Amino acid sequence: MDIRVGNGYDVHLLAPGLEFWLGGIKIEHTKGCVAHSDGDTLIHALCDAMLGALALGDIGKHFPDTDERYKGANSILLLKEVVKLLGEYNISHVDVTVLAQKPKLSPHIETMRKNLADAM
């Protein structure tokens, strides 16, 4: 069995007046991520971890912020593209850590898990 391990993280500035997306769902909050895409830091970190496990670069390489096709992009679609890039490799386990004081995420965790599993 071939086991590969990747590590990914993502950070975005929060600003008022923007939507807050995490794990493929919009969560009500007073601020959202400043980003070229939807700014879903959880999915971006997951993509980077999977790409890193196969030494395929990072999401910036595959979905550059200079490409207008990705302006406002739904990060679930980016995740689906990354899964295609993985080819024959199967993901057996993923653990993602989110560091956030607000908003409260526990009511959304199961929905996020389902979104991610469905995309993979």
Side-chain angles (χ1 to χ4, degrees):
M1 173 178 8
D2 188 16
I3 297 176
R4 295 177 180 243
V5 176
N7 183 43
Y9 76 95
D10 193 51
V11 177
H12 285 278
L13 178 68
L14 295 179
L18 300 172
E19 295 179 343
F20 186 81
W21 287 86
L22 198 66
I25 61 173
K26 181 180 168 185
I27 299 174
E28 289 303 315
H29 190 49
T30 58
K31 296 179 181 178
C33 292
V34 176
H36 186 67
S37 68
D38 63 8
D40 191 321
T41 56
L42 189 156
I43 292 177
H44 295 178
L46 175 59
C47 289
D48 276 346
M50 292 189 299
L51 290 166
L54 296 180
L56 295 175
D58 61 15
I59 60 171
K61 173 183 175 182
H62 296 276
F63 313 107
D65 63 6
T66 56
D67 191 330
E68 287 301 308
R69 291 180 296 170
Y70 306 117
K71 185 162 182 66
N74 180 329
S75 292
I76 288 283
L77 300 176
L78 304 182
L79 175 59
K80 288 179 179 184
E81 289 300 314
V82 168
V83 170
K84 287 180 190 175
L85 290 171
L86 299 181
E88 66 187 60
Y89 289 95
N90 293 315
I91 305 301
S92 62
H93 179 79
V94 175
D95 189 20
V96 178
T97 302
V98 175
L99 303 174
Q101 293 177 327
K102 293 180 183 179
K104 188 164 185 69
L105 300 179
S106 59
H108 308 287
I109 290 173
E110 287 307 315
T111 304
M112 288 189 272
R113 277 190 184 135
K114 183 179 181 329
N115 283 348
L116 300 176
D118 288 348
M120 298 173 70

